[in-house]
Amino acid sequence: MKSAEMSTGTSRTCDSDHDGRLIMKEHFRLQVDKLFNMLFSSTSTFIADFHDKRKSTELCMGPWKNGKDGQQVRHINVTVALQANVGPKSSKVTEFQTMRACSCPGEIYSIDVLSVNEGIPYADVFNIATHYCLVRSENNGTDMLVFGNVNFIKSTWAVVKAFIVKHSYEGLSEYFHCLSEQLQEVSKKEKK
Ligand SMILES: [Zn+2]
């Protein structure tokens, strides 16, 4: 890698509107392709270990396939452990992932994830949309942004909505806090 390239970052931009709440904003000393592979390749041991630590089971990561308009799509199935003292102890989650056409290896990855739950109360009422932005930074590391949105697909009572919104954002914060910590561990080792 030429030193000039190392300080340029990228001129590419993400074409997402970056809707929703900013859930995570972190810098990692990892090259953007490496971070992408850790989070989104179907052979990633990092993400398998991460789910393992969270006591998630039945992780099944599909391969990326060509979608419409230059997009790449894949889906993931995983059964996640729930922390609550009452109610179900696990939930089946399907993640529909779309890599936007503005993504470019070595520069930027822009990925939309739609998460659908099964096996929890009101699972059919909502879904959770997250957007991952992995952008090559000036020092050839990566700036990572994650936005989250709770979508209601069926009408329900305001009190139920408020409950779902509260718990969904708490869940997202907790998940990405843990993910960020694990990524920083790898990132710190990278520097040595
Ligand atoms: Zn983005």
Side-chain angles (χ1 to χ4, degrees):
M1 189 64 58
K2 281 181 266 174
S3 59
E5 282 178 347
M6 287 179 73
S7 59
T8 50
T10 180
S11 55
R12 305 241 175 196
T13 52
C14 177
D15 65 8
S16 159
D17 292 334
H18 288 175
D19 279 340
R21 287 193 202 177
L22 181 62
I23 307 289
M24 174 177 165
K25 184 181 181 184
E26 285 280 332
H27 173 77
F28 300 103
R29 291 167 182 164
L30 301 161
Q31 286 191 0
V32 70
D33 288 352
K34 176 159 184 171
L35 189 55
F36 168 78
N37 282 322
M38 285 166 67
L39 293 172
F40 291 105
S41 90
S42 44
T43 53
S44 168
T45 51
F46 172 85
I47 208 76
D49 289 347
F50 180 68
H51 280 296
D52 231 30
K53 280 188 187 135
R54 297 177 63 75
K55 302 193 166 38
S56 304
T57 55
E58 298 173 272
L59 175 66
C60 180
M61 300 186 281
W64 289 101
K65 291 177 182 166
N66 290 329
K68 59 177 166 68
D69 303 326
Q71 295 175 337
Q72 298 273 304
V73 293
R74 69 167 193 168
H75 71 270
I76 295 219
N77 293 295
V78 64
T79 301
V80 299
L82 302 175
Q83 316 289 336
N85 295 324
V86 291
K89 297 291 174 221
S90 68
S91 171
K92 282 187 191 296
V93 180
T94 305
E95 286 190 3
F96 298 93
Q97 303 187 342
T98 302
M99 196 190 322
R100 288 170 174 254
C102 63
S103 302
C104 176
E107 307 288 335
I108 186 169
Y109 292 93
S110 168
I111 294 157
D112 296 322
V113 178
L114 193 67
S115 300
V116 178
N117 288 276
E118 250 181 83
I120 55 165
Y122 302 104
D124 58 334
V125 166
F126 73 105
N127 60 41
I128 295 176
T130 45
H131 171 75
Y132 290 67
C133 226
L134 311 181
V135 183
R136 177 176 162 179
S137 66
E138 284 197 334
N139 53 4
N140 207 28
T142 303
D143 291 320
M144 176 170 165
L145 298 173
V146 178
F147 296 86
N149 234 330
V150 180
N151 300 316
F152 287 92
I153 44 181
K154 280 187 190 172
S155 58
T156 187
W157 295 319
V159 64
V160 173
K161 271 192 178 177
F163 178 87
I164 291 169
V165 166
K166 178 175 183 285
H167 286 274
S168 296
Y169 283 118
E170 280 174 4
L172 283 173
S173 294
E174 190 273 336
Y175 180 89
F176 284 101
H177 177 74
C178 291
L179 184 66
S180 175
E181 277 187 348
Q182 294 296 310
L183 289 170
Q184 283 299 3
E185 265 186 39
V186 181
S187 177
K188 280 168 191 156
K189 283 178 196 150
E190 193 79 353
K191 192 68 182 172
K192 284 172 192 166

PDB file of all heavy atoms in Angstrom, residues 95-123:
ATOM      1  N   GLU A  95     -32.557 -12.441   9.262  1.00  0.00           N
ATOM      2  CA  GLU A  95     -32.031 -11.166   8.784  1.00  0.00           C
ATOM      3  C   GLU A  95     -31.961 -11.204   7.264  1.00  0.00           C
ATOM      4  O   GLU A  95     -31.285 -12.059   6.695  1.00  0.00           O
ATOM      5  CB  GLU A  95     -30.605 -10.921   9.308  1.00  0.00           C
ATOM      6  CG  GLU A  95     -30.528 -10.553  10.756  1.00  0.00           C
ATOM      7  CD  GLU A  95     -29.121 -10.084  11.147  1.00  0.00           C
ATOM      8  OE1 GLU A  95     -28.241 -10.005  10.256  1.00  0.00           O
ATOM      9  OE2 GLU A  95     -28.922  -9.806  12.340  1.00  0.00           O
ATOM     10  N   PHE A  96     -32.658 -10.272   6.625  1.00  0.00           N
ATOM     11  CA  PHE A  96     -32.565 -10.121   5.169  1.00  0.00           C
ATOM     12  C   PHE A  96     -31.577  -8.990   4.897  1.00  0.00           C
ATOM     13  O   PHE A  96     -31.834  -7.840   5.259  1.00  0.00           O
ATOM     14  CB  PHE A  96     -33.944  -9.804   4.584  1.00  0.00           C
ATOM     15  CG  PHE A  96     -34.946 -10.898   4.830  1.00  0.00           C
ATOM     16  CD1 PHE A  96     -35.781 -10.866   5.952  1.00  0.00           C
ATOM     17  CD2 PHE A  96     -35.040 -11.977   3.965  1.00  0.00           C
ATOM     18  CE1 PHE A  96     -36.696 -11.890   6.199  1.00  0.00           C
ATOM     19  CE2 PHE A  96     -35.952 -13.006   4.207  1.00  0.00           C
ATOM     20  CZ  PHE A  96     -36.775 -12.958   5.322  1.00  0.00           C
ATOM     21  N   GLN A  97     -30.437  -9.340   4.329  1.00  0.00           N
ATOM     22  CA  GLN A  97     -29.376  -8.356   4.148  1.00  0.00           C
ATOM     23  C   GLN A  97     -29.253  -7.948   2.676  1.00  0.00           C
ATOM     24  O   GLN A  97     -29.261  -8.806   1.792  1.00  0.00           O
ATOM     25  CB  GLN A  97     -28.040  -8.924   4.636  1.00  0.00           C
ATOM     26  CG  GLN A  97     -28.103  -9.357   6.099  1.00  0.00           C
ATOM     27  CD  GLN A  97     -26.753  -9.767   6.658  1.00  0.00           C
ATOM     28  OE1 GLN A  97     -25.828 -10.056   5.906  1.00  0.00           O
ATOM     29  NE2 GLN A  97     -26.649  -9.796   7.983  1.00  0.00           N
ATOM     30  N   THR A  98     -29.152  -6.660   2.449  1.00  0.00           N
ATOM     31  CA  THR A  98     -28.988  -6.124   1.095  1.00  0.00           C
ATOM     32  C   THR A  98     -27.757  -5.230   1.053  1.00  0.00           C
ATOM     33  O   THR A  98     -27.671  -4.264   1.819  1.00  0.00           O
ATOM     34  CB  THR A  98     -30.222  -5.277   0.686  1.00  0.00           C
ATOM     35  OG1 THR A  98     -31.382  -6.090   0.771  1.00  0.00           O
ATOM     36  CG2 THR A  98     -30.081  -4.739  -0.743  1.00  0.00           C
ATOM     37  N   MET A  99     -26.808  -5.596   0.203  1.00  0.00           N
ATOM     38  CA  MET A  99     -25.640  -4.748   0.015  1.00  0.00           C
ATOM     39  C   MET A  99     -25.944  -3.799  -1.134  1.00  0.00           C
ATOM     40  O   MET A  99     -26.210  -4.234  -2.257  1.00  0.00           O
ATOM     41  CB  MET A  99     -24.405  -5.585  -0.311  1.00  0.00           C
ATOM     42  CG  MET A  99     -23.120  -4.806  -0.127  1.00  0.00           C
ATOM     43  SD  MET A  99     -21.640  -5.638  -0.756  1.00  0.00           S
ATOM     44  CE  MET A  99     -21.902  -7.321  -0.375  1.00  0.00           C
ATOM     45  N   ARG A 100     -25.963  -2.505  -0.817  1.00  0.00           N
ATOM     46  CA  ARG A 100     -26.320  -1.517  -1.831  1.00  0.00           C
ATOM     47  C   ARG A 100     -25.274  -1.439  -2.950  1.00  0.00           C
ATOM     48  O   ARG A 100     -24.102  -1.717  -2.717  1.00  0.00           O
ATOM     49  CB  ARG A 100     -26.468  -0.137  -1.187  1.00  0.00           C
ATOM     50  CG  ARG A 100     -27.701  -0.016  -0.330  1.00  0.00           C
ATOM     51  CD  ARG A 100     -27.673   1.268   0.462  1.00  0.00           C
ATOM     52  NE  ARG A 100     -28.921   1.446   1.171  1.00  0.00           N
ATOM     53  CZ  ARG A 100     -29.863   2.331   0.812  1.00  0.00           C
ATOM     54  NH1 ARG A 100     -29.668   3.146  -0.198  1.00  0.00           N
ATOM     55  NH2 ARG A 100     -30.991   2.421   1.513  1.00  0.00           N
ATOM     56  N   ALA A 101     -25.739  -1.004  -4.111  1.00  0.00           N
ATOM     57  CA  ALA A 101     -24.875  -0.933  -5.292  1.00  0.00           C
ATOM     58  C   ALA A 101     -23.755   0.101  -5.135  1.00  0.00           C
ATOM     59  O   ALA A 101     -22.769   0.059  -5.867  1.00  0.00           O
ATOM     60  CB  ALA A 101     -25.710  -0.607  -6.532  1.00  0.00           C
ATOM     61  N   CYS A 102     -23.896   1.022  -4.169  1.00  0.00           N
ATOM     62  CA  CYS A 102     -22.829   2.016  -3.939  1.00  0.00           C
ATOM     63  C   CYS A 102     -21.628   1.393  -3.228  1.00  0.00           C
ATOM     64  O   CYS A 102     -20.591   2.046  -3.068  1.00  0.00           O
ATOM     65  CB  CYS A 102     -23.366   3.205  -3.133  1.00  0.00           C
ATOM     66  SG  CYS A 102     -23.939   2.777  -1.486  1.00  0.00           S
ATOM     67  N   SER A 103     -21.749   0.145  -2.792  1.00  0.00           N
ATOM     68  CA  SER A 103     -20.632  -0.538  -2.136  1.00  0.00           C
ATOM     69  C   SER A 103     -19.509  -0.782  -3.127  1.00  0.00           C
ATOM     70  O   SER A 103     -19.765  -1.044  -4.306  1.00  0.00           O
ATOM     71  CB  SER A 103     -21.091  -1.880  -1.556  1.00  0.00           C
ATOM     72  OG  SER A 103     -22.151  -1.679  -0.644  1.00  0.00           O
ATOM     73  N   CYS A 104     -18.282  -0.690  -2.650  1.00  0.00           N
ATOM     74  CA  CYS A 104     -17.115  -0.879  -3.517  1.00  0.00           C
ATOM     75  C   CYS A 104     -15.974  -1.446  -2.675  1.00  0.00           C
ATOM     76  O   CYS A 104     -15.541  -0.789  -1.718  1.00  0.00           O
ATOM     77  CB  CYS A 104     -16.725   0.468  -4.119  1.00  0.00           C
ATOM     78  SG  CYS A 104     -15.239   0.386  -5.106  1.00  0.00           S
ATOM     79  N   PRO A 105     -15.501  -2.647  -2.992  1.00  0.00           N
ATOM     80  CA  PRO A 105     -14.430  -3.262  -2.197  1.00  0.00           C
ATOM     81  C   PRO A 105     -13.238  -2.327  -2.016  1.00  0.00           C
ATOM     82  O   PRO A 105     -12.876  -1.608  -2.941  1.00  0.00           O
ATOM     83  CB  PRO A 105     -14.044  -4.493  -3.014  1.00  0.00           C
ATOM     84  CG  PRO A 105     -15.282  -4.842  -3.769  1.00  0.00           C
ATOM     85  CD  PRO A 105     -15.931  -3.524  -4.095  1.00  0.00           C
ATOM     86  N   GLY A 106     -12.690  -2.321  -0.823  1.00  0.00           N
ATOM     87  CA  GLY A 106     -11.543  -1.476  -0.521  1.00  0.00           C
ATOM     88  C   GLY A 106     -11.917  -0.048  -0.164  1.00  0.00           C
ATOM     89  O   GLY A 106     -11.076   0.727   0.280  1.00  0.00           O
ATOM     90  N   GLU A 107     -13.201   0.312  -0.367  1.00  0.00           N
ATOM     91  CA  GLU A 107     -13.635   1.698  -0.168  1.00  0.00           C
ATOM     92  C   GLU A 107     -14.787   1.823   0.818  1.00  0.00           C
ATOM     93  O   GLU A 107     -14.681   2.477   1.839  1.00  0.00           O
ATOM     94  CB  GLU A 107     -14.083   2.300  -1.514  1.00  0.00           C
ATOM     95  CG  GLU A 107     -13.074   2.198  -2.647  1.00  0.00           C
ATOM     96  CD  GLU A 107     -11.880   3.119  -2.471  1.00  0.00           C
ATOM     97  OE1 GLU A 107     -12.008   4.145  -1.775  1.00  0.00           O
ATOM     98  OE2 GLU A 107     -10.823   2.807  -3.033  1.00  0.00           O
ATOM     99  N   ILE A 108     -15.900   1.201   0.454  1.00  0.00           N
ATOM    100  CA  ILE A 108     -17.122   1.392   1.242  1.00  0.00           C
ATOM    101  C   ILE A 108     -18.050   0.180   1.110  1.00  0.00           C
ATOM    102  O   ILE A 108     -18.128  -0.443   0.030  1.00  0.00           O
ATOM    103  CB  ILE A 108     -17.853   2.686   0.778  1.00  0.00           C
ATOM    104  CG1 ILE A 108     -19.057   3.008   1.674  1.00  0.00           C
ATOM    105  CG2 ILE A 108     -18.267   2.618  -0.685  1.00  0.00           C
ATOM    106  CD1 ILE A 108     -19.639   4.394   1.438  1.00  0.00           C
ATOM    107  N   TYR A 109     -18.699  -0.160   2.195  1.00  0.00           N
ATOM    108  CA  TYR A 109     -19.752  -1.179   2.161  1.00  0.00           C
ATOM    109  C   TYR A 109     -20.984  -0.577   2.816  1.00  0.00           C
ATOM    110  O   TYR A 109     -20.908  -0.054   3.929  1.00  0.00           O
ATOM    111  CB  TYR A 109     -19.332  -2.445   2.912  1.00  0.00           C
ATOM    112  CG  TYR A 109     -18.217  -3.197   2.229  1.00  0.00           C
ATOM    113  CD1 TYR A 109     -16.894  -2.959   2.564  1.00  0.00           C
ATOM    114  CD2 TYR A 109     -18.495  -4.135   1.238  1.00  0.00           C
ATOM    115  CE1 TYR A 109     -15.857  -3.643   1.929  1.00  0.00           C
ATOM    116  CE2 TYR A 109     -17.470  -4.829   0.601  1.00  0.00           C
ATOM    117  CZ  TYR A 109     -16.160  -4.572   0.944  1.00  0.00           C
ATOM    118  OH  TYR A 109     -15.139  -5.250   0.316  1.00  0.00           O
ATOM    119  N   SER A 110     -22.101  -0.657   2.123  1.00  0.00           N
ATOM    120  CA  SER A 110     -23.353  -0.072   2.579  1.00  0.00           C
ATOM    121  C   SER A 110     -24.394  -1.184   2.605  1.00  0.00           C
ATOM    122  O   SER A 110     -24.777  -1.705   1.553  1.00  0.00           O
ATOM    123  CB  SER A 110     -23.746   1.032   1.595  1.00  0.00           C
ATOM    124  OG  SER A 110     -25.069   1.445   1.817  1.00  0.00           O
ATOM    125  N   ILE A 111     -24.808  -1.557   3.795  1.00  0.00           N
ATOM    126  CA  ILE A 111     -25.649  -2.751   3.925  1.00  0.00           C
ATOM    127  C   ILE A 111     -26.889  -2.470   4.755  1.00  0.00           C
ATOM    128  O   ILE A 111     -26.798  -1.941   5.871  1.00  0.00           O
ATOM    129  CB  ILE A 111     -24.827  -3.907   4.533  1.00  0.00           C
ATOM    130  CG1 ILE A 111     -23.731  -4.293   3.537  1.00  0.00           C
ATOM    131  CG2 ILE A 111     -25.707  -5.119   4.838  1.00  0.00           C
ATOM    132  CD1 ILE A 111     -22.554  -4.968   4.145  1.00  0.00           C
ATOM    133  N   ASP A 112     -28.038  -2.805   4.189  1.00  0.00           N
ATOM    134  CA  ASP A 112     -29.313  -2.696   4.899  1.00  0.00           C
ATOM    135  C   ASP A 112     -29.699  -4.070   5.425  1.00  0.00           C
ATOM    136  O   ASP A 112     -29.592  -5.056   4.697  1.00  0.00           O
ATOM    137  CB  ASP A 112     -30.419  -2.216   3.953  1.00  0.00           C
ATOM    138  CG  ASP A 112     -30.171  -0.814   3.427  1.00  0.00           C
ATOM    139  OD1 ASP A 112     -29.678   0.026   4.188  1.00  0.00           O
ATOM    140  OD2 ASP A 112     -30.480  -0.577   2.240  1.00  0.00           O
ATOM    141  N   VAL A 113     -30.128  -4.113   6.665  1.00  0.00           N
ATOM    142  CA  VAL A 113     -30.526  -5.382   7.270  1.00  0.00           C
ATOM    143  C   VAL A 113     -31.942  -5.244   7.818  1.00  0.00           C
ATOM    144  O   VAL A 113     -32.224  -4.334   8.589  1.00  0.00           O
ATOM    145  CB  VAL A 113     -29.565  -5.776   8.421  1.00  0.00           C
ATOM    146  CG1 VAL A 113     -30.030  -7.072   9.075  1.00  0.00           C
ATOM    147  CG2 VAL A 113     -28.137  -5.918   7.911  1.00  0.00           C
ATOM    148  N   LEU A 114     -32.819  -6.143   7.386  1.00  0.00           N
ATOM    149  CA  LEU A 114     -34.179  -6.173   7.921  1.00  0.00           C
ATOM    150  C   LEU A 114     -34.290  -7.412   8.806  1.00  0.00           C
ATOM    151  O   LEU A 114     -34.110  -8.526   8.320  1.00  0.00           O
ATOM    152  CB  LEU A 114     -35.190  -6.227   6.772  1.00  0.00           C
ATOM    153  CG  LEU A 114     -36.631  -5.951   7.162  1.00  0.00           C
ATOM    154  CD1 LEU A 114     -36.795  -4.500   7.604  1.00  0.00           C
ATOM    155  CD2 LEU A 114     -37.557  -6.231   5.990  1.00  0.00           C
ATOM    156  N   SER A 115     -34.539  -7.202  10.086  1.00  0.00           N
ATOM    157  CA  SER A 115     -34.613  -8.329  11.026  1.00  0.00           C
ATOM    158  C   SER A 115     -36.057  -8.607  11.403  1.00  0.00           C
ATOM    159  O   SER A 115     -36.781  -7.707  11.833  1.00  0.00           O
ATOM    160  CB  SER A 115     -33.843  -8.008  12.310  1.00  0.00           C
ATOM    161  OG  SER A 115     -32.500  -7.752  12.025  1.00  0.00           O
ATOM    162  N   VAL A 116     -36.453  -9.860  11.226  1.00  0.00           N
ATOM    163  CA  VAL A 116     -37.809 -10.290  11.532  1.00  0.00           C
ATOM    164  C   VAL A 116     -37.733 -11.336  12.636  1.00  0.00           C
ATOM    165  O   VAL A 116     -36.949 -12.285  12.548  1.00  0.00           O
ATOM    166  CB  VAL A 116     -38.482 -10.880  10.269  1.00  0.00           C
ATOM    167  CG1 VAL A 116     -39.871 -11.376  10.575  1.00  0.00           C
ATOM    168  CG2 VAL A 116     -38.507  -9.846   9.149  1.00  0.00           C
ATOM    169  N   ASN A 117     -38.518 -11.128  13.682  1.00  0.00           N
ATOM    170  CA  ASN A 117     -38.534 -12.049  14.826  1.00  0.00           C
ATOM    171  C   ASN A 117     -39.670 -13.051  14.725  1.00  0.00           C
ATOM    172  O   ASN A 117     -40.690 -12.784  14.109  1.00  0.00           O
ATOM    173  CB  ASN A 117     -38.738 -11.264  16.125  1.00  0.00           C
ATOM    174  CG  ASN A 117     -37.517 -10.466  16.501  1.00  0.00           C
ATOM    175  OD1 ASN A 117     -36.596 -10.969  17.118  1.00  0.00           O
ATOM    176  ND2 ASN A 117     -37.493  -9.213  16.083  1.00  0.00           N
ATOM    177  N   GLU A 118     -39.453 -14.192  15.373  1.00  0.00           N
ATOM    178  CA  GLU A 118     -40.499 -15.211  15.500  1.00  0.00           C
ATOM    179  C   GLU A 118     -40.443 -15.737  16.925  1.00  0.00           C
ATOM    180  O   GLU A 118     -39.352 -15.885  17.479  1.00  0.00           O
ATOM    181  CB  GLU A 118     -40.161 -16.400  14.597  1.00  0.00           C
ATOM    182  CG  GLU A 118     -41.037 -16.587  13.398  1.00  0.00           C
ATOM    183  CD  GLU A 118     -40.573 -17.815  12.618  1.00  0.00           C
ATOM    184  OE1 GLU A 118     -40.967 -18.930  13.003  1.00  0.00           O
ATOM    185  OE2 GLU A 118     -39.784 -17.633  11.680  1.00  0.00           O
ATOM    186  N   GLY A 119     -41.594 -16.029  17.494  1.00  0.00           N
ATOM    187  CA  GLY A 119     -41.600 -16.692  18.799  1.00  0.00           C
ATOM    188  C   GLY A 119     -41.591 -15.767  19.991  1.00  0.00           C
ATOM    189  O   GLY A 119     -41.368 -16.197  21.116  1.00  0.00           O
ATOM    190  N   ILE A 120     -41.804 -14.459  19.755  1.00  0.00           N
ATOM    191  CA  ILE A 120     -41.956 -13.532  20.877  1.00  0.00           C
ATOM    192  C   ILE A 120     -43.296 -12.812  20.716  1.00  0.00           C
ATOM    193  O   ILE A 120     -43.830 -12.729  19.610  1.00  0.00           O
ATOM    194  CB  ILE A 120     -40.815 -12.483  20.941  1.00  0.00           C
ATOM    195  CG1 ILE A 120     -40.687 -11.732  19.615  1.00  0.00           C
ATOM    196  CG2 ILE A 120     -39.489 -13.140  21.322  1.00  0.00           C
ATOM    197  CD1 ILE A 120     -39.861 -10.461  19.698  1.00  0.00           C
ATOM    198  N   PRO A 121     -43.857 -12.284  21.822  1.00  0.00           N
ATOM    199  CA  PRO A 121     -45.138 -11.576  21.713  1.00  0.00           C
ATOM    200  C   PRO A 121     -45.053 -10.414  20.711  1.00  0.00           C
ATOM    201  O   PRO A 121     -44.043  -9.720  20.669  1.00  0.00           O
ATOM    202  CB  PRO A 121     -45.368 -11.041  23.126  1.00  0.00           C
ATOM    203  CG  PRO A 121     -44.556 -11.924  24.008  1.00  0.00           C
ATOM    204  CD  PRO A 121     -43.358 -12.325  23.184  1.00  0.00           C
ATOM    205  N   TYR A 122     -46.086 -10.243  19.924  1.00  0.00           N
ATOM    206  CA  TYR A 122     -46.191  -9.162  18.938  1.00  0.00           C
ATOM    207  C   TYR A 122     -45.137  -9.224  17.832  1.00  0.00           C
ATOM    208  O   TYR A 122     -44.848  -8.230  17.182  1.00  0.00           O
ATOM    209  CB  TYR A 122     -46.139  -7.788  19.629  1.00  0.00           C
ATOM    210  CG  TYR A 122     -47.225  -7.614  20.662  1.00  0.00           C
ATOM    211  CD1 TYR A 122     -46.953  -7.706  22.024  1.00  0.00           C
ATOM    212  CD2 TYR A 122     -48.541  -7.382  20.264  1.00  0.00           C
ATOM    213  CE1 TYR A 122     -47.957  -7.569  22.972  1.00  0.00           C
ATOM    214  CE2 TYR A 122     -49.561  -7.243  21.199  1.00  0.00           C
ATOM    215  CZ  TYR A 122     -49.255  -7.338  22.550  1.00  0.00           C
ATOM    216  OH  TYR A 122     -50.258  -7.200  23.477  1.00  0.00           O
ATOM    217  N   ALA A 123     -44.543 -10.403  17.634  1.00  0.00           N
ATOM    218  CA  ALA A 123     -43.486 -10.547  16.613  1.00  0.00           C
ATOM    219  C   ALA A 123     -43.988 -10.152  15.223  1.00  0.00           C
ATOM    220  O   ALA A 123     -43.219  -9.655  14.406  1.00  0.00           O
ATOM    221  CB  ALA A 123     -42.970 -11.981  16.586  1.00  0.00           C
TER     222      ALA A 123
END
